């Protein structure tokens, strides 16, 4: 009986040691920058040519994707070493507000609303509340705010709105505003669901999404899904793993030896 007890005790010690070893191994294993191994440190390009980058902020690191090279990841830069960039990173907010001065309206998304509210730019009066026909949302489940993505095309009267609970981007024609409500054009199904948590992440990790046009209108970037959509064909042309795990994004154009931050509409 004593011999059996000794064998059991020895086995327990081995199991505990193995678990402890695995815990140390996984806790000390380093996550590669931008979730891709071997990423080089980004350096400003030389020459007078303009370079356009989609920059994703992930784990206090800026990941640079070259828009003109098929969204290729070309480098990473710690924000602590780039104060010129960190000052331009957008702040988080549950409410998104996009103004269209040409049409005299404001588009707003907020907590508790699956859709977009259209306000008069001058009086702030609600003109329309546009929902996504055929799509539903249970507030007890899924992300809230549910439509945490709103982008107005810079080159044509189109409004793109994120539907995070259904992992869809809705496209509207807004050329008839303020007289008529936004007209649905297309529903684009994302390649990855907006659900679960971002990783790596320190706080506010639940995926709720974001949406942004490139300054020239060619692409739409979907935060927390990672998809890059060609705005003309409305087809997904790439998926960026860093953007799948972050909703913080901005465009940086490097021109004439300095950074330019195009202002989104």
């Amino acid at each position: 009986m004593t011999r059996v007890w000794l064998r059991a005790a020895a086995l327990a010690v081995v199991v505990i040691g193995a678990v402890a070893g695995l815990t140390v191994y996984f806790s000390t294993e380093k996550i590669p920058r931008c979730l891709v191994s071997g990423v080089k440190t980004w350096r400003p390009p030389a020459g007078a040519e303009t370079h356009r980058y989609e920059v994703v902020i992930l784990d206090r690191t800026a990941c640079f994707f070259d828009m003109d090279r098929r969204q290729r990841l070309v480098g990473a830069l710690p924000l602590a070493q780039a104060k010129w960039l960190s000052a331009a990173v957008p702040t988080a907010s549950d409410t998104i507000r996009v103004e269209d001065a040409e049409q005299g309206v404001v588009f707003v998304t907020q907590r508790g609303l699956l859709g977009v509210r259209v306000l008069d730019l001058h009086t702030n009066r609600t003109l329309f509340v546009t929902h996504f026909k055929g799509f539903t949302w249970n507030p007890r489940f899924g992300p809230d705010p549910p439509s945490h993505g709103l982008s107005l095309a810079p080159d044509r009267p189109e409004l793109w709105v994120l539907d995070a609970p259904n992992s869809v981007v809705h496209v509207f024609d807004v050329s008839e505003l303020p007289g008529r409500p936004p007209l649905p054009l297309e529903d684009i199904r994302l390649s990855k669901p907006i659900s679960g948590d971002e990783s790596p992440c320190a706080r506010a990790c639940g995926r709720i999404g974001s949406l942004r046009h490139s300054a020239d209108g060619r692409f739409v970037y979907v935060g927390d899904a990672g998809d890059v959509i060609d705005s003309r064909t409305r087809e997904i042309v790439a998926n960026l793993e860093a953007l799948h795990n972050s909703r913080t994004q901005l465009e940086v154009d490097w021109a004439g030896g300095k950074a330019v931050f195009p202002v989104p509409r």
Side-chain angles (χ1 to χ4, degrees), residues 42-63:
W42 181 83
R43 300 189 185 284
E49 183 182 358
T50 298
H51 297 263
R52 300 174 179 85
Y53 301 100
E54 165 71 1
V55 178
V56 179
I57 308 301
L58 178 67
D59 195 27
R60 299 178 298 279
T61 297
C63 309

PDB file of all heavy atoms in Angstrom, residues 42-63:
ATOM      1  N   TRP A  42       9.637  49.873 -39.615  1.00  0.00           N
ATOM      2  CA  TRP A  42       9.297  50.767 -40.721  1.00  0.00           C
ATOM      3  C   TRP A  42      10.196  51.993 -40.709  1.00  0.00           C
ATOM      4  O   TRP A  42      10.469  52.574 -39.659  1.00  0.00           O
ATOM      5  CB  TRP A  42       7.843  51.218 -40.605  1.00  0.00           C
ATOM      6  CG  TRP A  42       7.417  52.119 -41.725  1.00  0.00           C
ATOM      7  CD1 TRP A  42       6.983  51.743 -42.964  1.00  0.00           C
ATOM      8  CD2 TRP A  42       7.391  53.557 -41.710  1.00  0.00           C
ATOM      9  NE1 TRP A  42       6.687  52.839 -43.723  1.00  0.00           N
ATOM     10  CE2 TRP A  42       6.930  53.971 -42.983  1.00  0.00           C
ATOM     11  CE3 TRP A  42       7.718  54.516 -40.767  1.00  0.00           C
ATOM     12  CZ2 TRP A  42       6.778  55.314 -43.321  1.00  0.00           C
ATOM     13  CZ3 TRP A  42       7.578  55.863 -41.104  1.00  0.00           C
ATOM     14  CH2 TRP A  42       7.118  56.246 -42.362  1.00  0.00           C
ATOM     15  N   ARG A  43      10.635  52.370 -41.894  1.00  0.00           N
ATOM     16  CA  ARG A  43      11.451  53.566 -42.047  1.00  0.00           C
ATOM     17  C   ARG A  43      10.859  54.425 -43.161  1.00  0.00           C
ATOM     18  O   ARG A  43      10.379  53.902 -44.172  1.00  0.00           O
ATOM     19  CB  ARG A  43      12.897  53.195 -42.378  1.00  0.00           C
ATOM     20  CG  ARG A  43      13.546  52.329 -41.296  1.00  0.00           C
ATOM     21  CD  ARG A  43      15.034  52.152 -41.513  1.00  0.00           C
ATOM     22  NE  ARG A  43      15.605  51.222 -40.541  1.00  0.00           N
ATOM     23  CZ  ARG A  43      15.854  51.508 -39.277  1.00  0.00           C
ATOM     24  NH1 ARG A  43      15.613  52.728 -38.831  1.00  0.00           N
ATOM     25  NH2 ARG A  43      16.363  50.612 -38.457  1.00  0.00           N
ATOM     26  N   PRO A  44      10.884  55.739 -43.000  1.00  0.00           N
ATOM     27  CA  PRO A  44      10.316  56.625 -44.022  1.00  0.00           C
ATOM     28  C   PRO A  44      10.974  56.395 -45.379  1.00  0.00           C
ATOM     29  O   PRO A  44      12.203  56.318 -45.468  1.00  0.00           O
ATOM     30  CB  PRO A  44      10.626  58.032 -43.487  1.00  0.00           C
ATOM     31  CG  PRO A  44      10.800  57.845 -42.018  1.00  0.00           C
ATOM     32  CD  PRO A  44      11.409  56.482 -41.850  1.00  0.00           C
ATOM     33  N   PRO A  45      10.189  56.283 -46.432  1.00  0.00           N
ATOM     34  CA  PRO A  45      10.763  56.080 -47.767  1.00  0.00           C
ATOM     35  C   PRO A  45      11.471  57.330 -48.279  1.00  0.00           C
ATOM     36  O   PRO A  45      11.079  58.451 -47.961  1.00  0.00           O
ATOM     37  CB  PRO A  45       9.538  55.745 -48.625  1.00  0.00           C
ATOM     38  CG  PRO A  45       8.392  56.370 -47.907  1.00  0.00           C
ATOM     39  CD  PRO A  45       8.714  56.300 -46.448  1.00  0.00           C
ATOM     40  N   ALA A  46      12.489  57.114 -49.060  1.00  0.00           N
ATOM     41  CA  ALA A  46      13.226  58.232 -49.662  1.00  0.00           C
ATOM     42  C   ALA A  46      12.564  58.633 -50.978  1.00  0.00           C
ATOM     43  O   ALA A  46      11.763  57.897 -51.547  1.00  0.00           O
ATOM     44  CB  ALA A  46      14.678  57.821 -49.890  1.00  0.00           C
ATOM     45  N   GLY A  47      12.918  59.800 -51.465  1.00  0.00           N
ATOM     46  CA  GLY A  47      12.400  60.255 -52.745  1.00  0.00           C
ATOM     47  C   GLY A  47      11.160  61.122 -52.598  1.00  0.00           C
ATOM     48  O   GLY A  47      10.581  61.263 -51.517  1.00  0.00           O
ATOM     49  N   ALA A  48      10.729  61.682 -53.722  1.00  0.00           N
ATOM     50  CA  ALA A  48       9.603  62.620 -53.717  1.00  0.00           C
ATOM     51  C   ALA A  48       8.253  61.947 -53.961  1.00  0.00           C
ATOM     52  O   ALA A  48       7.209  62.585 -53.820  1.00  0.00           O
ATOM     53  CB  ALA A  48       9.841  63.684 -54.784  1.00  0.00           C
ATOM     54  N   GLU A  49       8.273  60.680 -54.334  1.00  0.00           N
ATOM     55  CA  GLU A  49       7.038  59.969 -54.630  1.00  0.00           C
ATOM     56  C   GLU A  49       6.176  59.831 -53.380  1.00  0.00           C
ATOM     57  O   GLU A  49       6.679  59.622 -52.275  1.00  0.00           O
ATOM     58  CB  GLU A  49       7.366  58.585 -55.188  1.00  0.00           C
ATOM     59  CG  GLU A  49       6.147  57.774 -55.599  1.00  0.00           C
ATOM     60  CD  GLU A  49       6.518  56.391 -56.108  1.00  0.00           C
ATOM     61  OE1 GLU A  49       7.727  56.098 -56.168  1.00  0.00           O
ATOM     62  OE2 GLU A  49       5.602  55.619 -56.429  1.00  0.00           O
ATOM     63  N   THR A  50       4.863  59.921 -53.551  1.00  0.00           N
ATOM     64  CA  THR A  50       3.934  59.775 -52.437  1.00  0.00           C
ATOM     65  C   THR A  50       3.670  58.299 -52.159  1.00  0.00           C
ATOM     66  O   THR A  50       3.389  57.528 -53.085  1.00  0.00           O
ATOM     67  CB  THR A  50       2.600  60.491 -52.733  1.00  0.00           C
ATOM     68  OG1 THR A  50       2.857  61.885 -52.903  1.00  0.00           O
ATOM     69  CG2 THR A  50       1.613  60.292 -51.597  1.00  0.00           C
ATOM     70  N   HIS A  51       3.764  57.918 -50.899  1.00  0.00           N
ATOM     71  CA  HIS A  51       3.473  56.551 -50.467  1.00  0.00           C
ATOM     72  C   HIS A  51       2.265  56.584 -49.532  1.00  0.00           C
ATOM     73  O   HIS A  51       2.222  57.387 -48.594  1.00  0.00           O
ATOM     74  CB  HIS A  51       4.681  55.942 -49.743  1.00  0.00           C
ATOM     75  CG  HIS A  51       5.889  55.805 -50.607  1.00  0.00           C
ATOM     76  ND1 HIS A  51       6.236  54.629 -51.241  1.00  0.00           N
ATOM     77  CD2 HIS A  51       6.841  56.716 -50.953  1.00  0.00           C
ATOM     78  CE1 HIS A  51       7.350  54.803 -51.932  1.00  0.00           C
ATOM     79  NE2 HIS A  51       7.732  56.065 -51.778  1.00  0.00           N
ATOM     80  N   ARG A  52       1.296  55.715 -49.787  1.00  0.00           N
ATOM     81  CA  ARG A  52       0.055  55.700 -49.009  1.00  0.00           C
ATOM     82  C   ARG A  52       0.001  54.433 -48.152  1.00  0.00           C
ATOM     83  O   ARG A  52       0.140  53.327 -48.678  1.00  0.00           O
ATOM     84  CB  ARG A  52      -1.160  55.779 -49.931  1.00  0.00           C
ATOM     85  CG  ARG A  52      -1.196  57.053 -50.779  1.00  0.00           C
ATOM     86  CD  ARG A  52      -2.325  57.032 -51.782  1.00  0.00           C
ATOM     87  NE  ARG A  52      -2.352  58.261 -52.567  1.00  0.00           N
ATOM     88  CZ  ARG A  52      -1.620  58.464 -53.663  1.00  0.00           C
ATOM     89  NH1 ARG A  52      -0.817  57.509 -54.093  1.00  0.00           N
ATOM     90  NH2 ARG A  52      -1.690  59.605 -54.308  1.00  0.00           N
ATOM     91  N   TYR A  53      -0.251  54.623 -46.869  1.00  0.00           N
ATOM     92  CA  TYR A  53      -0.255  53.494 -45.939  1.00  0.00           C
ATOM     93  C   TYR A  53      -1.564  53.454 -45.143  1.00  0.00           C
ATOM     94  O   TYR A  53      -2.057  54.487 -44.677  1.00  0.00           O
ATOM     95  CB  TYR A  53       0.898  53.599 -44.940  1.00  0.00           C
ATOM     96  CG  TYR A  53       2.269  53.647 -45.567  1.00  0.00           C
ATOM     97  CD1 TYR A  53       2.931  54.866 -45.712  1.00  0.00           C
ATOM     98  CD2 TYR A  53       2.905  52.489 -46.023  1.00  0.00           C
ATOM     99  CE1 TYR A  53       4.196  54.930 -46.281  1.00  0.00           C
ATOM    100  CE2 TYR A  53       4.165  52.544 -46.598  1.00  0.00           C
ATOM    101  CZ  TYR A  53       4.801  53.766 -46.725  1.00  0.00           C
ATOM    102  OH  TYR A  53       6.059  53.833 -47.303  1.00  0.00           O
ATOM    103  N   GLU A  54      -2.095  52.267 -45.004  1.00  0.00           N
ATOM    104  CA  GLU A  54      -3.119  52.002 -44.000  1.00  0.00           C
ATOM    105  C   GLU A  54      -2.359  51.589 -42.746  1.00  0.00           C
ATOM    106  O   GLU A  54      -1.611  50.597 -42.759  1.00  0.00           O
ATOM    107  CB  GLU A  54      -4.058  50.885 -44.459  1.00  0.00           C
ATOM    108  CG  GLU A  54      -4.921  50.293 -43.370  1.00  0.00           C
ATOM    109  CD  GLU A  54      -6.018  51.232 -42.889  1.00  0.00           C
ATOM    110  OE1 GLU A  54      -6.140  52.359 -43.411  1.00  0.00           O
ATOM    111  OE2 GLU A  54      -6.774  50.829 -41.992  1.00  0.00           O
ATOM    112  N   VAL A  55      -2.535  52.335 -41.669  1.00  0.00           N
ATOM    113  CA  VAL A  55      -1.803  52.063 -40.431  1.00  0.00           C
ATOM    114  C   VAL A  55      -2.773  51.521 -39.390  1.00  0.00           C
ATOM    115  O   VAL A  55      -3.773  52.173 -39.053  1.00  0.00           O
ATOM    116  CB  VAL A  55      -1.102  53.334 -39.910  1.00  0.00           C
ATOM    117  CG1 VAL A  55      -0.384  53.040 -38.596  1.00  0.00           C
ATOM    118  CG2 VAL A  55      -0.114  53.851 -40.950  1.00  0.00           C
ATOM    119  N   VAL A  56      -2.473  50.331 -38.899  1.00  0.00           N
ATOM    120  CA  VAL A  56      -3.291  49.684 -37.870  1.00  0.00           C
ATOM    121  C   VAL A  56      -2.517  49.715 -36.555  1.00  0.00           C
ATOM    122  O   VAL A  56      -1.343  49.348 -36.513  1.00  0.00           O
ATOM    123  CB  VAL A  56      -3.612  48.227 -38.265  1.00  0.00           C
ATOM    124  CG1 VAL A  56      -4.437  47.547 -37.180  1.00  0.00           C
ATOM    125  CG2 VAL A  56      -4.347  48.186 -39.603  1.00  0.00           C
ATOM    126  N   ILE A  57      -3.172  50.162 -35.495  1.00  0.00           N
ATOM    127  CA  ILE A  57      -2.536  50.221 -34.183  1.00  0.00           C
ATOM    128  C   ILE A  57      -2.885  48.949 -33.426  1.00  0.00           C
ATOM    129  O   ILE A  57      -4.056  48.683 -33.133  1.00  0.00           O
ATOM    130  CB  ILE A  57      -2.983  51.456 -33.390  1.00  0.00           C
ATOM    131  CG1 ILE A  57      -2.803  52.719 -34.230  1.00  0.00           C
ATOM    132  CG2 ILE A  57      -2.222  51.541 -32.084  1.00  0.00           C
ATOM    133  CD1 ILE A  57      -1.390  52.970 -34.695  1.00  0.00           C
ATOM    134  N   LEU A  58      -1.869  48.153 -33.108  1.00  0.00           N
ATOM    135  CA  LEU A  58      -2.072  46.878 -32.427  1.00  0.00           C
ATOM    136  C   LEU A  58      -1.011  46.705 -31.349  1.00  0.00           C
ATOM    137  O   LEU A  58       0.191  46.707 -31.642  1.00  0.00           O
ATOM    138  CB  LEU A  58      -1.992  45.723 -33.442  1.00  0.00           C
ATOM    139  CG  LEU A  58      -2.135  44.315 -32.870  1.00  0.00           C
ATOM    140  CD1 LEU A  58      -3.546  44.089 -32.333  1.00  0.00           C
ATOM    141  CD2 LEU A  58      -1.812  43.261 -33.933  1.00  0.00           C
ATOM    142  N   ASP A  59      -1.447  46.575 -30.110  1.00  0.00           N
ATOM    143  CA  ASP A  59      -0.536  46.331 -28.992  1.00  0.00           C
ATOM    144  C   ASP A  59       0.574  47.379 -28.930  1.00  0.00           C
ATOM    145  O   ASP A  59       1.758  47.049 -28.831  1.00  0.00           O
ATOM    146  CB  ASP A  59       0.054  44.918 -29.114  1.00  0.00           C
ATOM    147  CG  ASP A  59       0.725  44.450 -27.824  1.00  0.00           C
ATOM    148  OD1 ASP A  59       0.322  44.922 -26.753  1.00  0.00           O
ATOM    149  OD2 ASP A  59       1.653  43.626 -27.904  1.00  0.00           O
ATOM    150  N   ARG A  60       0.168  48.657 -29.011  1.00  0.00           N
ATOM    151  CA  ARG A  60       1.078  49.810 -28.915  1.00  0.00           C
ATOM    152  C   ARG A  60       2.109  49.832 -30.046  1.00  0.00           C
ATOM    153  O   ARG A  60       3.189  50.399 -29.919  1.00  0.00           O
ATOM    154  CB  ARG A  60       1.792  49.830 -27.548  1.00  0.00           C
ATOM    155  CG  ARG A  60       0.835  49.962 -26.378  1.00  0.00           C
ATOM    156  CD  ARG A  60       1.557  49.939 -25.051  1.00  0.00           C
ATOM    157  NE  ARG A  60       2.245  48.682 -24.847  1.00  0.00           N
ATOM    158  CZ  ARG A  60       1.649  47.573 -24.414  1.00  0.00           C
ATOM    159  NH1 ARG A  60       0.354  47.582 -24.130  1.00  0.00           N
ATOM    160  NH2 ARG A  60       2.320  46.463 -24.238  1.00  0.00           N
ATOM    161  N   THR A  61       1.750  49.199 -31.160  1.00  0.00           N
ATOM    162  CA  THR A  61       2.619  49.171 -32.339  1.00  0.00           C
ATOM    163  C   THR A  61       1.831  49.611 -33.568  1.00  0.00           C
ATOM    164  O   THR A  61       0.672  49.223 -33.738  1.00  0.00           O
ATOM    165  CB  THR A  61       3.184  47.756 -32.561  1.00  0.00           C
ATOM    166  OG1 THR A  61       3.991  47.386 -31.445  1.00  0.00           O
ATOM    167  CG2 THR A  61       4.031  47.693 -33.831  1.00  0.00           C
ATOM    168  N   ALA A  62       2.459  50.412 -34.417  1.00  0.00           N
ATOM    169  CA  ALA A  62       1.849  50.829 -35.679  1.00  0.00           C
ATOM    170  C   ALA A  62       2.281  49.876 -36.781  1.00  0.00           C
ATOM    171  O   ALA A  62       3.477  49.681 -37.019  1.00  0.00           O
ATOM    172  CB  ALA A  62       2.263  52.254 -36.023  1.00  0.00           C
ATOM    173  N   CYS A  63       1.307  49.258 -37.441  1.00  0.00           N
ATOM    174  CA  CYS A  63       1.567  48.316 -38.528  1.00  0.00           C
ATOM    175  C   CYS A  63       1.260  49.017 -39.853  1.00  0.00           C
ATOM    176  O   CYS A  63       0.131  49.471 -40.069  1.00  0.00           O
ATOM    177  CB  CYS A  63       0.694  47.068 -38.381  1.00  0.00           C
ATOM    178  SG  CYS A  63       0.772  46.301 -36.739  1.00  0.00           S
TER     179      CYS A  63
END
